[in-house]
Amino acid sequence: MAGSTILTGFCVLLSWLIYRFPLRSATTPAEFRPLLWITVALGCFLLFGVLLNLAGWNGLRKSTHEKPITSYAELTTKKVDTGVVFQGVISKQNEKRHGDYIAYLDEKSLWSPERLWLELDGGRIAINNTQYQAVSWPVDPLGNLYLTAEQPVIVIGILKNYTENLKGEQPFQQVRAEVVFGGSYQAFVSRASVKASIAMALALANLIIAGIILTKILPVCVRGMKS
């Protein structure tokens, strides 16, 4: 979202500068030529932004309509290498990394156990990667984000079969997490709904700005090239 907003703002600023200064002073095809290509590039960037924001909006909208899995039995019936969204709590069986924190994010890095165990109805499953996006975790007075035992979480990730370093154990299913949201399902839906609205607003803004650039600035450049 932040990247898309910055890109939109940059395109708007550059378009205004082109319209306000070089476009008004250009008189020959050689002067209009670079302005033409810059205008086309700006329009393409903005239209690409429309696609990105629509993709983000669609993903967020789906996440608010599909309830996460809460049962271990249901989760483990999903096909390996498919995306899953499930709800659980941080297991008490996890080793603590710092004080009562089982996982935490400071200004340097995300510190997460090699296997972050989560309790679901009827069983538990592990997150087996230590790099994922920490979203809406509690914040301590030092500004660190953290998870503690029995913290409810929503996980978005990919179901995997874990086979490495088992020392004779049978392979078991685990999750490669992409997002770990710290909070209830209701909080997750509320946040996703807000972000979906922002994504749609950005898509519409990009489309409108691209339309203005391609109908107001581009024709002037084309006429200048023909003069």
Side-chain angles (χ1 to χ4, degrees):
M1 294 293 180
S4 180
T5 303
I6 293 171
L7 176 62
T8 301
F10 173 77
C11 290
V12 170
L13 176 61
L14 188 56
S15 300
W16 180 81
L17 290 173
I18 290 172
Y19 183 78
R20 182 67 177 82
F21 298 106
L23 191 64
R24 292 190 175 187
S25 61
T27 57
T28 66
E31 292 174 327
F32 278 107
R33 186 175 294 109
L35 299 179
L36 174 67
W37 291 117
I38 293 173
T39 300
V40 171
L42 287 173
C44 291
F45 273 125
L46 288 164
L47 292 175
F48 179 66
V50 171
L51 296 177
L52 286 180
N53 282 295
L54 286 177
W57 169 80
N58 187 53
L60 290 163
R61 183 184 60 83
K62 285 183 177 180
S63 71
T64 62
H65 286 78
E66 299 177 5
K67 288 190 175 182
I69 297 168
T70 58
S71 164
Y72 174 80
E74 181 182 357
L75 178 62
T76 53
T77 59
K78 300 294 182 180
K79 291 183 179 179
V80 172
D81 293 327
T82 58
V84 291
V85 180
F86 65 94
Q87 180 178 4
V89 298
I90 303 298
S91 175
K92 294 180 180 179
Q93 304 302 315
N94 288 298
E95 293 184 5
K96 296 176 181 178
R97 296 300 303 267
H98 176 72
D100 290 333
Y101 300 168
I102 290 173
Y104 68 100
L105 175 66
D106 60 17
E107 61 183 9
K108 295 180 179 179
S109 183
L110 172 64
W111 306 92
S112 184
E114 184 178 345
R115 294 181 186 172
L116 177 59
W117 290 98
L118 306 177
E119 301 286 350
L120 285 76
D121 293 339
R124 64 176 184 162
I125 196 163
I127 292 174
N128 270 313
N129 60 302
T130 57
Q131 296 298 319
Y132 46 79
Q133 186 179 358
V135 177
S136 294
W137 289 16
V139 184
D140 67 16
L142 297 177
N144 300 320
L145 307 181
Y146 65 90
L147 292 177
T148 56
E150 300 187 327
Q151 168 78 32
V153 293
I154 306 292
V155 178
I156 301 174
I158 299 173
L159 196 64
K160 292 286 186 178
N161 267 341
Y162 186 72
T163 58
E164 298 178 359
N165 303 321
L166 292 183
K167 297 179 180 179
E169 300 176 45
Q170 292 295 318
F172 63 93
Q173 287 181 314
Q174 47 92 38
V175 173
R176 188 176 71 207
E178 297 174 357
V179 175
V180 177
F181 176 90
S184 65
Y185 174 62
Q186 290 75 18
F188 175 78
V189 169
S190 177
R191 186 179 186 278
S193 298
V194 170
K195 290 181 73 67
S197 298
I198 294 173
M200 178 55 72
L202 286 172
L204 291 174
N206 280 14
L207 186 61
I208 292 170
I209 297 166
I212 293 172
I213 290 173
L214 297 177
T215 58
K216 297 296 184 181
I217 300 178
L218 185 62
V220 176
C221 295
V222 172
R223 288 196 296 269
M225 289 285 294
K226 294 179 179 179
S227 63

